[in-house]
């Protein structure tokens, strides 16, 4: 059983930075990619960034390009999301999730991500 635990959320002012971590434990060997997602109140969960666990290639949703960076330390089974230049519209619950599915890793579609963390809240004030 794969378990994911997020940490690092908090409250910051606009323009500030946060670094989220996602620690994986359990059966991680077949995971293809890991994604960061977020969900604001009243909105659907959306993908933010994806990293391929084996090769390290990354993709970002347009709204965070140039501000957020996804990275990983495979030795620690931990993925990170460095968030700089935070904006109030970045306020959301942030989740990490892992997928074994190539279609999921290409698209970021939540249905293809079978393992989720409990989430960590990020609040950005103006």
């Amino acid at each position: 059983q794969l378990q994911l635990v997020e940490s690092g959320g908090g409250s910051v002012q606009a323009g500030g930075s946060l670094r989220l971590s996602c620690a994986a434990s359990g059966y991680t060997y077949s995971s293809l990619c890991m994604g960061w997602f977020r969900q604001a109140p009243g909105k659907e969960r959306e993908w933010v960034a994806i990293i391929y666990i084996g090769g390290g290639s990354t993709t970002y949703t347009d709204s965070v390009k140039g501000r957020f960076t996804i990275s990983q330390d495979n030795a620690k089974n931990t993925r990170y999301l460095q968030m700089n230049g935070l904006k109030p519209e970045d306020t959301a619950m942030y989740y990490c999730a892992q997928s074994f599915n190539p279609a999921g890793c290409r698209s970021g579609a939540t249905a293809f991500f079978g393992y989720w963390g409990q989430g960590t809240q990020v609040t950005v004030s103006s």
Side-chain angles (χ1 to χ4, degrees):
Q1 185 78 12
L2 178 62
Q3 293 181 325
L4 303 172
V5 178
E6 303 98 335
S7 60
S11 296
V12 297
Q13 291 190 327
S17 298
L18 285 171
R19 189 194 195 204
L20 306 183
S21 298
C22 175
S25 62
Y27 188 74
T28 64
Y29 301 106
S30 296
S31 295
L32 182 61
C33 70
M34 177 268 180
W36 284 101
F37 297 76
R38 65 186 180 187
Q39 187 168 19
K43 295 189 176 181
E44 291 189 355
R45 192 170 298 187
E46 62 173 353
W47 75 277
V48 174
I50 290 172
I51 187 165
Y52 282 79
I53 293 173
S57 60
T58 60
T59 58
Y60 299 90
T61 197
D62 286 345
S63 62
V64 307
K65 284 180 181 177
R67 300 189 297 122
F68 291 11
T69 302
I70 188 171
S71 63
Q72 63 187 354
D73 183 337
N74 284 340
K76 295 182 178 179
N77 265 333
T78 301
R79 278 82 205 174
Y80 305 96
L81 186 67
Q82 178 67 44
M83 304 186 294
N84 299 328
L86 282 161
K87 303 176 181 180
E89 51 264 42
D90 295 317
T91 295
M93 184 71 79
Y94 282 71
Y95 301 88
C96 64
Q98 293 200 194
S99 178
F100 305 89
N101 190 298
C105 295
R106 286 194 299 270
S107 67
T110 57
F112 291 104
F113 286 77
Y115 296 92
W116 294 82
Q118 81 289 350
T120 186
Q121 178 67 38
V122 172
T123 303
V124 185
S125 58
S126 57

